[in-house]
DNA sequence: CGTTTGATTGACACGAGTCAACACCAGTGG
DNA sequence: CCACTGGTGTTGACTCGTGTCAATCAAACG
């Protein structure tokens, strides 16, 4: 069974034998990181690219008044700082949400990929563009959906994204995120996040506990959120050439 | 005086003579588009890339309940659908906000660039990553800043971005955006957007009319918004290689 | 000139934030 | 083995920022 990174890249572009071999070698020595550790902080210029093989992480910023905003979830197969390789300085921080297995890809390996492995390079850019599309949808989520819709939409998105890398279990997934963190991702208070959860439970739509989320009625949930998965660009195999 | 696109690319990577010549040729036949016209709609798979030479445009989505969310402003020098070239299908729409001069770059020209003009290609990816950083900041804006702060922060960002392409006039810029569109940008109602504007006027921070925005006290505005321009990545000349 | 679109204002309603208390663990150390 | 602790989840009461509705005004326009 290939790791999540290879599975994800294969979603977008079929990888050759040598491609896969290189990626396996790159991922061969993962680090184990505890939950709630910063992988990179705003202002740093990392000289490695971090890749999540296992666990949840997030991108976040702290605004001056002290509140936190989580702008993205990093799931197994996601890269943390591909952009910092080009933009140099991180404009936000990345932290683990659960215990993670993380690979640090050295600069030389990244240069080798972009030089000699065009299929992988194309898939990486594809992924960067999908990340951008997800950010746009999150703007819609926090700006134009009610609290209940926003939380629901997030759950629908995570189910789709985790399914794509083989991490959907039954009708749910592992979800090691506290309600406070959930609140910071949909831009509300922790108390209100809790009220939304309670409501979704009462409506028999979900079962949520510290370890995982079970979705009891997927269609109802999608309907409630107005979820349309087109922005994830998961259905198209093999891209045009860049 | 080079056009906004060439100015913008030069911010990130110094372009050679042939680079500049090619870009000038590509931009030589712009179209004139009226205000409030869709350039591309969600679901389309355009076979050209649109480039704004003059005027304001925006990315937007309509959510099922009928409200609109504007996720990005496209300023002179910005490309509308670079990603659709790779992801195929647009997951959002793009519309002009003011009369625009727009270039439609044919598929063949894009392929020629990515094949033979590495400096331009690198600059385009750089720009895509900065766009992503702007999206992240917009999530912070709508999710963790008050209405007044969010509007103020948007003004600070636009001043910085327009200054970068030479479109800052005095302490302000042309701003052909209605209050209703502004409201859809920061995720609030048009009525409340108006109240925020009134407040900023009363505090002698801005002068806003249908044609333009003048900022009376830039430092106070930045302070109020908690504006830090690092996410625009404007200060770094010449990128690392991708 | 009517017509239309956008800006402005006030009254009122409501969703969500805040504050505070309490419950429920899981871990820790005595 | 059990008190103690701190983090998380839960709940209620109250407040307040924004949304909604509706009327009016102003400016642009054919």
């Amino acid at each position: 069974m290939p790791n999540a990174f290879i599975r994800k890249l294969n979603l977008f572009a079929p990888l050759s034998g040598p491609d896969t071999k290189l990626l396996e070698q790159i991922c061969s020595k993962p680090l184990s990181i505890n939950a709630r550790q910063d992988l990179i902080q705003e202002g740093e210029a990392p000289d490695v690219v971090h890749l999540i093989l296992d666990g949840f992480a997030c991108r976040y910023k702290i605004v001056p008044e002290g509140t936190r905003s989580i702008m993205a979830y990093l799931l197994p197969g996601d890269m943390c700082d591909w952009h910092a390789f080009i933009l140099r300085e991180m404009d936000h921080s990345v932290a683990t949400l659960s215990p993670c297995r993380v690979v640090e890809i050295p600069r030389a390996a990244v240069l080798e990929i972009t030089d000699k492995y065009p299929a992988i390079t194309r898939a990486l850019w594809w992924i960067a563009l999908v990340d951008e599309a997800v950010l746009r949808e999150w703007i819609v989520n926090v700006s134009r959906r009610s609290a209940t819709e926003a939380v629901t939409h997030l759950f629908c998105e995570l189910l789709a994204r985790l399914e794509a890398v083989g991490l959907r279990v039954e009708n749910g997934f592992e979800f090691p995120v506290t309600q406070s963190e959930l609140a910071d991702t949909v831009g509300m208070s922790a108390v209100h996040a809790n009220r939304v959860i309670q409501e979704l439970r009462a409506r028999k739509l979900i079962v949520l506990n510290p370890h995982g989320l079970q979705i009891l009625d997927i269609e109802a949930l999608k309907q409630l959120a107005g979820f349309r998965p087109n922005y994830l660009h998961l259905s198209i195999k093999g891209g045009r050439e860049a």
Side-chain angles (χ1 to χ4, degrees), chain A:
Chain A
M1 175 87 165
N3 67 50
F5 186 47
I6 294 174
R7 282 203 299 278
K8 179 160 181 178
L9 290 183
N10 256 316
L11 283 177
F12 297 120
L15 300 178
S16 69
D19 290 342
T20 306
K21 193 152 293 179
L22 175 74
L23 294 176
E24 274 168 356
Q25 184 220 314
I26 282 176
C27 299
S28 61
K29 295 199 190 67
L31 307 170
S32 288
I33 313 276
N34 285 335
R36 276 150 253 274
Q37 304 294 311
D38 275 347
L39 292 178
I40 331 152
Q41 290 187 329
E42 184 172 348
E44 290 181 20
D47 55 346
V48 296
V49 172
H50 295 79
L51 167 65
I52 310 285
L53 281 187
D54 231 351
F56 274 45
C58 69
R59 304 184 189 283
Y60 73 93
K61 290 191 189 187
I62 305 287
V63 298
E65 306 89 74
T67 61
R68 176 180 54 175
S69 181
I70 293 178
M71 298 93 63
Y73 283 169
L74 299 167
L75 312 181
D78 286 345
M79 295 178 89
C80 303
D81 36 19
W82 169 243
H83 41 75
F85 198 74
I86 294 176
L87 296 180
R88 293 183 193 255
E89 198 170 289
M90 289 294 288
D91 52 51
H92 62 278
S93 302
V94 176
T96 59
L97 293 168
S98 68
C100 287
R101 284 194 310 136
V102 175
V103 172
E104 294 187 340
I105 307 174
R107 160 166 293 274
V110 176
L111 287 175
E112 191 187 347
I113 289 174
T114 55
D115 266 9
K116 299 180 193 154
Y117 293 81
I120 299 177
T121 304
R122 210 178 309 134
L124 291 179
W125 282 119
W126 186 296
I127 285 170
L129 292 178
V130 172
D131 287 348
E132 208 180 306
V134 170
L135 288 172
R136 281 191 293 266
E137 187 64 36
W138 280 36
I139 289 179
V140 177
N141 217 32
V142 292
S143 71
R144 283 293 183 235
R145 280 195 258 263
S146 71
T148 308
E149 289 167 352
V151 170
T152 306
H153 195 279
L154 177 68
F155 290 161
C156 291
E157 176 186 309
L158 289 176
L159 184 70
R161 285 170 60 188
L162 287 166
E163 180 172 26
V165 288
L167 290 173
R168 171 175 172 167
V169 285
E170 304 280 327
N171 284 321
F173 45 86
E174 283 192 49
F175 191 61
V177 175
T178 68
Q179 294 184 3
S180 166
E181 289 156 349
L182 180 61
D184 286 339
T185 64
V186 286
M188 57 195 182
S189 68
V191 171
H192 202 62
N194 180 270
R195 289 195 273 244
V196 168
I197 299 289
Q198 300 297 335
E199 182 202 341
L200 293 179
R201 283 183 183 136
R203 292 169 70 174
K204 304 260 188 278
L205 292 172
I206 63 165
V207 173
L208 177 64
N209 61 46
H211 297 304
L213 174 73
Q214 281 295 317
I215 297 177
L216 300 179
D217 187 339
I218 295 181
E219 283 314 311
L221 217 61
K222 287 182 178 173
Q223 170 93 33
L224 173 57
F227 179 72
R228 294 181 307 124
N230 62 322
Y231 69 96
L232 295 173
H233 296 273
L234 290 172
S235 56
I236 307 165
K237 299 276 161 100
R240 297 174 176 185
E241 287 169 33

